[in-house]
Amino acid sequence: MRTSLNPKRGFSSSSSIPWISPLQILKPSSPKPDPPPLELPTSLEEEQSQRRTKPKFITHDFAITTIKKEEDPQRALEIFNRASKQRGFNHNHNTYFTLLHKLAQCKKFNAVDSVLHQMRYETCKFQEGLFLNLMTHFSKSSLHERTLDMFYLIQPIVREKPSLKAISTCLNLLVGSGRLDLACKLLSDSRKTFDLKLNTCIYNILVKHHCKNGDLDMAFKVVTEMSKAEVSYPNLITYSTLMGGLCKMGRLKEAMEVFEEMVSKHKILPDALTYNILINGFCRGGKVDRARKIMEFMRKNGCKPNMINYSSLMNGSSKEGKLEEVKEIFEEMRSSGMEVDAVGYTTLISCFCRAGRVDEAMNVFKEMRGKDCRVDAVAYNVILGGLCREKRFSEALGMLEKLPNEGVRLNKASYRIVLNFLCKEREMEKVMDLLGLMLGRGFNPHFATSNQILVNLCEEGKVVDATMALRGLLEIGFKPEHESWAHLVNSLSRDRKLVMAFELLDDLVTEGV
């Protein structure tokens, strides 16, 4: 199964074309040559075909479709500006939204700023959804101050006050990122500038934040404040969040008290998700019997258990080593008339694998595939992990090699699970085989695992294999730790493989290590 460790180097993501902001392009200046066409014809026939099919006038729909398909953000901007140069053409909300989404997706935030500046002078009507989308992109890139800036741009560009949805979105992103300082600034400014009155949704975000940080006293204070305001009375989400925080802290008795208060005092009916918070909490706390009673109470009160409820109960029984109960719960789920999906089957497979009963897990897996149930990478990864824990590496490697050829889509975790077990057991020949397979299919090992592979190979006296492995990893942008490559160079020198050592050092310098 030995595979080449030198996959083709991918194209560089950086463009050789200097970045051009929309302001620079739109600014009157000395005449410049026309930008390149959207698609360059490669033959006379193709050119004639384009003349027949390509629209003479770039419409909004055509610009949006083309920008969406374009992978290079520079080219996307050229398309946008080419359309704007047409006589009688004015960009609208949708074309701006599409371009900004593309630029933010590619992290071209300076270009985003230029486009936003241009939007201030447009006469078309913009919608705040454009800014909610940008908030999400900035938050994902940990640019939290910029997330808040997008909120403040809504009024000057949309020319309307931000809605409660905009405030909730921004607040949720800031709180979720742990930037409570910016969240407080947002709330303070919104109260002063926009005369904001906190609603239930906004209060719930604060309750979630305090529960996530384990500050349940503050969470209860927020709920008390909610109860005093007519427009923000606590709802099912509020109490479910509180119960989740209490269960996470192991305060199961208090969680039940909140549940009873919600039902009896406030007349709020729980749903399957709320019940699952309690079921999962008691299972994690080692009280599966109590979790089963909650499931029975749930049925009696007209709420039908769903797949997630059954899966939580199965996992709880499995952790207590009660595998027979796990099978009983699974059969009960099937006999209830519920169609078992991938979640239910994968939970049962995981329970068998944790108990070391991999053959039974494999039987369930075969049944799952035979019922045309959608089998995703998660189920395969559970099986691969179970096989590796039993040191059945040949079977795991066989699955990795054959499954993609059968149309199964594995992910990087599939390969990493097996590779990590092989490294741990120092099965270095199999490590080299799997590493070659991974690199050939475009999957990279974890950084720490890559370094460990180099060290292990050197310690096993396989310095040539270690050199091959490092060269293959360098091809995909891996930069080894100093200790790892120094260990390898020293090992080559001790084995008097000086030419190979110097060549490797040249490779490391070339790659900027």
PDB file of all heavy atoms in Angstrom, residues 220 223 238-244 246 251-266 268 278:
ATOM      1  N   PHE A 220     -29.186  34.021  37.345  1.00  0.00           N
ATOM      2  CA  PHE A 220     -30.462  34.151  38.061  1.00  0.00           C
ATOM      3  C   PHE A 220     -30.848  35.613  38.257  1.00  0.00           C
ATOM      4  O   PHE A 220     -32.032  35.962  38.212  1.00  0.00           O
ATOM      5  CB  PHE A 220     -30.387  33.429  39.416  1.00  0.00           C
ATOM      6  CG  PHE A 220     -30.693  31.961  39.332  1.00  0.00           C
ATOM      7  CD1 PHE A 220     -29.672  31.020  39.360  1.00  0.00           C
ATOM      8  CD2 PHE A 220     -31.997  31.510  39.221  1.00  0.00           C
ATOM      9  CE1 PHE A 220     -29.948  29.666  39.282  1.00  0.00           C
ATOM     10  CE2 PHE A 220     -32.287  30.160  39.133  1.00  0.00           C
ATOM     11  CZ  PHE A 220     -31.261  29.227  39.170  1.00  0.00           C
ATOM     12  N   VAL A 223     -32.455  36.802  35.095  1.00  0.00           N
ATOM     13  CA  VAL A 223     -33.823  36.274  34.981  1.00  0.00           C
ATOM     14  C   VAL A 223     -34.771  37.051  35.884  1.00  0.00           C
ATOM     15  O   VAL A 223     -35.924  37.337  35.515  1.00  0.00           O
ATOM     16  CB  VAL A 223     -33.853  34.772  35.312  1.00  0.00           C
ATOM     17  CG1 VAL A 223     -35.285  34.249  35.298  1.00  0.00           C
ATOM     18  CG2 VAL A 223     -33.016  33.984  34.312  1.00  0.00           C
ATOM     19  N   THR A 238     -35.218  30.653  28.106  1.00  0.00           N
ATOM     20  CA  THR A 238     -34.600  31.173  29.339  1.00  0.00           C
ATOM     21  C   THR A 238     -34.425  30.062  30.359  1.00  0.00           C
ATOM     22  O   THR A 238     -33.319  29.843  30.884  1.00  0.00           O
ATOM     23  CB  THR A 238     -35.476  32.286  29.950  1.00  0.00           C
ATOM     24  OG1 THR A 238     -35.891  33.194  28.940  1.00  0.00           O
ATOM     25  CG2 THR A 238     -34.725  33.025  31.042  1.00  0.00           C
ATOM     26  N   TYR A 239     -35.516  29.334  30.648  1.00  0.00           N
ATOM     27  CA  TYR A 239     -35.463  28.295  31.680  1.00  0.00           C
ATOM     28  C   TYR A 239     -34.633  27.095  31.223  1.00  0.00           C
ATOM     29  O   TYR A 239     -33.921  26.487  32.033  1.00  0.00           O
ATOM     30  CB  TYR A 239     -36.884  27.869  32.061  1.00  0.00           C
ATOM     31  CG  TYR A 239     -37.627  28.929  32.837  1.00  0.00           C
ATOM     32  CD1 TYR A 239     -38.686  29.635  32.269  1.00  0.00           C
ATOM     33  CD2 TYR A 239     -37.254  29.243  34.147  1.00  0.00           C
ATOM     34  CE1 TYR A 239     -39.357  30.618  32.981  1.00  0.00           C
ATOM     35  CE2 TYR A 239     -37.925  30.230  34.865  1.00  0.00           C
ATOM     36  CZ  TYR A 239     -38.974  30.910  34.272  1.00  0.00           C
ATOM     37  OH  TYR A 239     -39.631  31.882  34.987  1.00  0.00           O
ATOM     38  N   SER A 240     -34.678  26.778  29.934  1.00  0.00           N
ATOM     39  CA  SER A 240     -33.863  25.673  29.426  1.00  0.00           C
ATOM     40  C   SER A 240     -32.374  25.990  29.574  1.00  0.00           C
ATOM     41  O   SER A 240     -31.570  25.119  29.935  1.00  0.00           O
ATOM     42  CB  SER A 240     -34.192  25.399  27.955  1.00  0.00           C
ATOM     43  OG  SER A 240     -35.524  24.969  27.801  1.00  0.00           O
ATOM     44  N   THR A 241     -32.025  27.244  29.301  1.00  0.00           N
ATOM     45  CA  THR A 241     -30.626  27.660  29.446  1.00  0.00           C
ATOM     46  C   THR A 241     -30.181  27.564  30.903  1.00  0.00           C
ATOM     47  O   THR A 241     -29.077  27.093  31.202  1.00  0.00           O
ATOM     48  CB  THR A 241     -30.439  29.097  28.932  1.00  0.00           C
ATOM     49  OG1 THR A 241     -30.917  29.186  27.587  1.00  0.00           O
ATOM     50  CG2 THR A 241     -28.980  29.507  28.978  1.00  0.00           C
ATOM     51  N   LEU A 242     -31.045  28.019  31.814  1.00  0.00           N
ATOM     52  CA  LEU A 242     -30.737  27.923  33.251  1.00  0.00           C
ATOM     53  C   LEU A 242     -30.551  26.470  33.683  1.00  0.00           C
ATOM     54  O   LEU A 242     -29.601  26.131  34.395  1.00  0.00           O
ATOM     55  CB  LEU A 242     -31.871  28.544  34.073  1.00  0.00           C
ATOM     56  CG  LEU A 242     -31.774  30.026  34.443  1.00  0.00           C
ATOM     57  CD1 LEU A 242     -32.973  30.400  35.307  1.00  0.00           C
ATOM     58  CD2 LEU A 242     -30.480  30.323  35.185  1.00  0.00           C
ATOM     59  N   MET A 243     -31.460  25.602  33.249  1.00  0.00           N
ATOM     60  CA  MET A 243     -31.363  24.184  33.606  1.00  0.00           C
ATOM     61  C   MET A 243     -30.082  23.570  33.055  1.00  0.00           C
ATOM     62  O   MET A 243     -29.414  22.771  33.728  1.00  0.00           O
ATOM     63  CB  MET A 243     -32.584  23.421  33.084  1.00  0.00           C
ATOM     64  CG  MET A 243     -33.840  23.639  33.908  1.00  0.00           C
ATOM     65  SD  MET A 243     -35.203  22.615  33.334  1.00  0.00           S
ATOM     66  CE  MET A 243     -35.883  23.653  32.061  1.00  0.00           C
ATOM     67  N   GLY A 244     -29.725  23.961  31.831  1.00  0.00           N
ATOM     68  CA  GLY A 244     -28.493  23.451  31.237  1.00  0.00           C
ATOM     69  C   GLY A 244     -27.267  23.865  32.039  1.00  0.00           C
ATOM     70  O   GLY A 244     -26.352  23.063  32.263  1.00  0.00           O
ATOM     71  N   LEU A 246     -27.187  24.630  35.267  1.00  0.00           N
ATOM     72  CA  LEU A 246     -27.201  23.911  36.545  1.00  0.00           C
ATOM     73  C   LEU A 246     -26.753  22.464  36.370  1.00  0.00           C
ATOM     74  O   LEU A 246     -25.980  21.935  37.185  1.00  0.00           O
ATOM     75  CB  LEU A 246     -28.609  23.968  37.149  1.00  0.00           C
ATOM     76  CG  LEU A 246     -29.056  25.341  37.667  1.00  0.00           C
ATOM     77  CD1 LEU A 246     -30.562  25.363  37.908  1.00  0.00           C
ATOM     78  CD2 LEU A 246     -28.317  25.710  38.949  1.00  0.00           C
ATOM     79  N   ARG A 251     -25.603  20.469  39.566  1.00  0.00           N
ATOM     80  CA  ARG A 251     -26.643  20.886  40.516  1.00  0.00           C
ATOM     81  C   ARG A 251     -28.005  20.406  40.002  1.00  0.00           C
ATOM     82  O   ARG A 251     -28.868  21.171  39.606  1.00  0.00           O
ATOM     83  CB  ARG A 251     -26.585  22.398  40.697  1.00  0.00           C
ATOM     84  CG  ARG A 251     -25.282  22.841  41.375  1.00  0.00           C
ATOM     85  CD  ARG A 251     -24.928  24.307  41.175  1.00  0.00           C
ATOM     86  NE  ARG A 251     -25.893  25.220  41.741  1.00  0.00           N
ATOM     87  CZ  ARG A 251     -25.721  26.545  41.805  1.00  0.00           C
ATOM     88  NH1 ARG A 251     -24.589  27.077  41.329  1.00  0.00           N
ATOM     89  NH2 ARG A 251     -26.641  27.322  42.311  1.00  0.00           N
ATOM     90  N   LEU A 252     -28.156  19.090  39.989  1.00  0.00           N
ATOM     91  CA  LEU A 252     -29.322  18.460  39.359  1.00  0.00           C
ATOM     92  C   LEU A 252     -30.613  18.747  40.116  1.00  0.00           C
ATOM     93  O   LEU A 252     -31.669  18.924  39.502  1.00  0.00           O
ATOM     94  CB  LEU A 252     -29.094  16.953  39.251  1.00  0.00           C
ATOM     95  CG  LEU A 252     -27.844  16.540  38.452  1.00  0.00           C
ATOM     96  CD1 LEU A 252     -27.630  15.040  38.519  1.00  0.00           C
ATOM     97  CD2 LEU A 252     -27.975  16.984  36.999  1.00  0.00           C
ATOM     98  N   LYS A 253     -30.545  18.773  41.446  1.00  0.00           N
ATOM     99  CA  LYS A 253     -31.742  19.044  42.253  1.00  0.00           C
ATOM    100  C   LYS A 253     -32.299  20.425  41.935  1.00  0.00           C
ATOM    101  O   LYS A 253     -33.521  20.602  41.775  1.00  0.00           O
ATOM    102  CB  LYS A 253     -31.402  18.940  43.733  1.00  0.00           C
ATOM    103  CG  LYS A 253     -32.596  19.133  44.639  1.00  0.00           C
ATOM    104  CD  LYS A 253     -32.209  19.017  46.110  1.00  0.00           C
ATOM    105  CE  LYS A 253     -33.415  19.278  47.013  1.00  0.00           C
ATOM    106  NZ  LYS A 253     -33.033  19.232  48.460  1.00  0.00           N
ATOM    107  N   GLU A 254     -31.416  21.422  41.828  1.00  0.00           N
ATOM    108  CA  GLU A 254     -31.854  22.784  41.512  1.00  0.00           C
ATOM    109  C   GLU A 254     -32.416  22.861  40.088  1.00  0.00           C
ATOM    110  O   GLU A 254     -33.350  23.632  39.824  1.00  0.00           O
ATOM    111  CB  GLU A 254     -30.689  23.760  41.671  1.00  0.00           C
ATOM    112  CG  GLU A 254     -30.231  23.929  43.117  1.00  0.00           C
ATOM    113  CD  GLU A 254     -28.946  24.736  43.225  1.00  0.00           C
ATOM    114  OE1 GLU A 254     -29.019  25.974  43.078  1.00  0.00           O
ATOM    115  OE2 GLU A 254     -27.885  24.125  43.447  1.00  0.00           O
ATOM    116  N   ALA A 255     -31.826  22.085  39.190  1.00  0.00           N
ATOM    117  CA  ALA A 255     -32.328  22.057  37.814  1.00  0.00           C
ATOM    118  C   ALA A 255     -33.771  21.556  37.792  1.00  0.00           C
ATOM    119  O   ALA A 255     -34.623  22.102  37.071  1.00  0.00           O
ATOM    120  CB  ALA A 255     -31.438  21.171  36.945  1.00  0.00           C
ATOM    121  N   MET A 256     -34.069  20.532  38.596  1.00  0.00           N
ATOM    122  CA  MET A 256     -35.436  20.015  38.676  1.00  0.00           C
ATOM    123  C   MET A 256     -36.378  21.036  39.296  1.00  0.00           C
ATOM    124  O   MET A 256     -37.541  21.159  38.881  1.00  0.00           O
ATOM    125  CB  MET A 256     -35.461  18.718  39.486  1.00  0.00           C
ATOM    126  CG  MET A 256     -34.920  17.503  38.747  1.00  0.00           C
ATOM    127  SD  MET A 256     -35.791  17.148  37.196  1.00  0.00           S
ATOM    128  CE  MET A 256     -37.472  16.868  37.780  1.00  0.00           C
ATOM    129  N   GLU A 257     -35.879  21.797  40.248  1.00  0.00           N
ATOM    130  CA  GLU A 257     -36.704  22.845  40.881  1.00  0.00           C
ATOM    131  C   GLU A 257     -37.068  23.922  39.869  1.00  0.00           C
ATOM    132  O   GLU A 257     -38.211  24.410  39.853  1.00  0.00           O
ATOM    133  CB  GLU A 257     -35.950  23.454  42.070  1.00  0.00           C
ATOM    134  CG  GLU A 257     -35.836  22.512  43.264  1.00  0.00           C
ATOM    135  CD  GLU A 257     -34.917  23.046  44.351  1.00  0.00           C
ATOM    136  OE1 GLU A 257     -34.316  24.135  44.133  1.00  0.00           O
ATOM    137  OE2 GLU A 257     -34.791  22.394  45.413  1.00  0.00           O
ATOM    138  N   VAL A 258     -36.103  24.308  39.026  1.00  0.00           N
ATOM    139  CA  VAL A 258     -36.378  25.297  37.977  1.00  0.00           C
ATOM    140  C   VAL A 258     -37.402  24.739  36.996  1.00  0.00           C
ATOM    141  O   VAL A 258     -38.321  25.445  36.563  1.00  0.00           O
ATOM    142  CB  VAL A 258     -35.071  25.685  37.241  1.00  0.00           C
ATOM    143  CG1 VAL A 258     -35.373  26.523  36.000  1.00  0.00           C
ATOM    144  CG2 VAL A 258     -34.131  26.442  38.155  1.00  0.00           C
ATOM    145  N   PHE A 259     -37.262  23.450  36.662  1.00  0.00           N
ATOM    146  CA  PHE A 259     -38.209  22.799  35.758  1.00  0.00           C
ATOM    147  C   PHE A 259     -39.627  22.835  36.336  1.00  0.00           C
ATOM    148  O   PHE A 259     -40.587  23.197  35.645  1.00  0.00           O
ATOM    149  CB  PHE A 259     -37.770  21.347  35.526  1.00  0.00           C
ATOM    150  CG  PHE A 259     -38.705  20.550  34.663  1.00  0.00           C
ATOM    151  CD1 PHE A 259     -38.643  20.628  33.283  1.00  0.00           C
ATOM    152  CD2 PHE A 259     -39.667  19.725  35.235  1.00  0.00           C
ATOM    153  CE1 PHE A 259     -39.509  19.889  32.490  1.00  0.00           C
ATOM    154  CE2 PHE A 259     -40.534  18.983  34.447  1.00  0.00           C
ATOM    155  CZ  PHE A 259     -40.448  19.065  33.059  1.00  0.00           C
ATOM    156  N   GLU A 260     -39.749  22.476  37.607  1.00  0.00           N
ATOM    157  CA  GLU A 260     -41.074  22.461  38.250  1.00  0.00           C
ATOM    158  C   GLU A 260     -41.671  23.854  38.345  1.00  0.00           C
ATOM    159  O   GLU A 260     -42.875  24.047  38.147  1.00  0.00           O
ATOM    160  CB  GLU A 260     -40.957  21.826  39.636  1.00  0.00           C
ATOM    161  CG  GLU A 260     -40.684  20.312  39.575  1.00  0.00           C
ATOM    162  CD  GLU A 260     -40.281  19.734  40.931  1.00  0.00           C
ATOM    163  OE1 GLU A 260     -40.276  20.498  41.922  1.00  0.00           O
ATOM    164  OE2 GLU A 260     -39.949  18.533  40.982  1.00  0.00           O
ATOM    165  N   GLU A 261     -40.835  24.854  38.640  1.00  0.00           N
ATOM    166  CA  GLU A 261     -41.325  26.238  38.699  1.00  0.00           C
ATOM    167  C   GLU A 261     -41.815  26.694  37.326  1.00  0.00           C
ATOM    168  O   GLU A 261     -42.852  27.358  37.209  1.00  0.00           O
ATOM    169  CB  GLU A 261     -40.196  27.153  39.185  1.00  0.00           C
ATOM    170  CG  GLU A 261     -40.604  28.620  39.257  1.00  0.00           C
ATOM    171  CD  GLU A 261     -39.444  29.530  39.634  1.00  0.00           C
ATOM    172  OE1 GLU A 261     -38.497  29.061  40.290  1.00  0.00           O
ATOM    173  OE2 GLU A 261     -39.503  30.719  39.257  1.00  0.00           O
ATOM    174  N   MET A 262     -41.063  26.340  36.295  1.00  0.00           N
ATOM    175  CA  MET A 262     -41.434  26.723  34.928  1.00  0.00           C
ATOM    176  C   MET A 262     -42.800  26.150  34.553  1.00  0.00           C
ATOM    177  O   MET A 262     -43.651  26.862  33.989  1.00  0.00           O
ATOM    178  CB  MET A 262     -40.358  26.220  33.955  1.00  0.00           C
ATOM    179  CG  MET A 262     -40.648  26.504  32.499  1.00  0.00           C
ATOM    180  SD  MET A 262     -39.456  25.729  31.378  1.00  0.00           S
ATOM    181  CE  MET A 262     -40.024  24.013  31.419  1.00  0.00           C
ATOM    182  N   VAL A 263     -43.031  24.867  34.895  1.00  0.00           N
ATOM    183  CA  VAL A 263     -44.266  24.191  34.499  1.00  0.00           C
ATOM    184  C   VAL A 263     -45.442  24.605  35.373  1.00  0.00           C
ATOM    185  O   VAL A 263     -46.507  24.984  34.875  1.00  0.00           O
ATOM    186  CB  VAL A 263     -44.078  22.661  34.532  1.00  0.00           C
ATOM    187  CG1 VAL A 263     -45.392  21.947  34.255  1.00  0.00           C
ATOM    188  CG2 VAL A 263     -43.019  22.226  33.525  1.00  0.00           C
ATOM    189  N   SER A 264     -45.266  24.529  36.697  1.00  0.00           N
ATOM    190  CA  SER A 264     -46.389  24.739  37.604  1.00  0.00           C
ATOM    191  C   SER A 264     -46.720  26.210  37.831  1.00  0.00           C
ATOM    192  O   SER A 264     -47.887  26.607  37.835  1.00  0.00           O
ATOM    193  CB  SER A 264     -46.108  24.069  38.954  1.00  0.00           C
ATOM    194  OG  SER A 264     -44.931  24.604  39.527  1.00  0.00           O
ATOM    195  N   LYS A 265     -45.698  27.036  37.993  1.00  0.00           N
ATOM    196  CA  LYS A 265     -45.932  28.444  38.318  1.00  0.00           C
ATOM    197  C   LYS A 265     -46.158  29.296  37.071  1.00  0.00           C
ATOM    198  O   LYS A 265     -47.069  30.122  37.022  1.00  0.00           O
ATOM    199  CB  LYS A 265     -44.755  28.991  39.126  1.00  0.00           C
ATOM    200  CG  LYS A 265     -44.931  30.438  39.562  1.00  0.00           C
ATOM    201  CD  LYS A 265     -43.740  30.891  40.409  1.00  0.00           C
ATOM    202  CE  LYS A 265     -43.887  32.361  40.811  1.00  0.00           C
ATOM    203  NZ  LYS A 265     -42.724  32.819  41.616  1.00  0.00           N
ATOM    204  N   HIS A 266     -45.302  29.086  36.061  1.00  0.00           N
ATOM    205  CA  HIS A 266     -45.352  29.961  34.880  1.00  0.00           C
ATOM    206  C   HIS A 266     -46.111  29.338  33.713  1.00  0.00           C
ATOM    207  O   HIS A 266     -46.263  29.980  32.668  1.00  0.00           O
ATOM    208  CB  HIS A 266     -43.932  30.334  34.453  1.00  0.00           C
ATOM    209  CG  HIS A 266     -43.148  31.026  35.526  1.00  0.00           C
ATOM    210  ND1 HIS A 266     -43.455  32.293  35.972  1.00  0.00           N
ATOM    211  CD2 HIS A 266     -42.080  30.611  36.256  1.00  0.00           C
ATOM    212  CE1 HIS A 266     -42.605  32.647  36.927  1.00  0.00           C
ATOM    213  NE2 HIS A 266     -41.762  31.641  37.119  1.00  0.00           N
ATOM    214  N   ILE A 268     -45.411  27.137  31.517  1.00  0.00           N
ATOM    215  CA  ILE A 268     -44.656  26.992  30.265  1.00  0.00           C
ATOM    216  C   ILE A 268     -44.419  25.499  30.033  1.00  0.00           C
ATOM    217  O   ILE A 268     -43.833  24.813  30.872  1.00  0.00           O
ATOM    218  CB  ILE A 268     -43.304  27.737  30.337  1.00  0.00           C
ATOM    219  CG1 ILE A 268     -43.545  29.236  30.519  1.00  0.00           C
ATOM    220  CG2 ILE A 268     -42.477  27.470  29.086  1.00  0.00           C
ATOM    221  CD1 ILE A 268     -42.277  30.038  30.741  1.00  0.00           C
ATOM    222  N   LEU A 278     -32.384  17.716  30.883  1.00  0.00           N
ATOM    223  CA  LEU A 278     -32.449  16.986  32.155  1.00  0.00           C
ATOM    224  C   LEU A 278     -31.984  15.536  31.993  1.00  0.00           C
ATOM    225  O   LEU A 278     -31.232  15.014  32.820  1.00  0.00           O
ATOM    226  CB  LEU A 278     -33.867  17.022  32.710  1.00  0.00           C
ATOM    227  CG  LEU A 278     -34.397  18.407  33.097  1.00  0.00           C
ATOM    228  CD1 LEU A 278     -35.868  18.320  33.489  1.00  0.00           C
ATOM    229  CD2 LEU A 278     -33.583  19.009  34.237  1.00  0.00           C
TER     230      LEU A 278
END
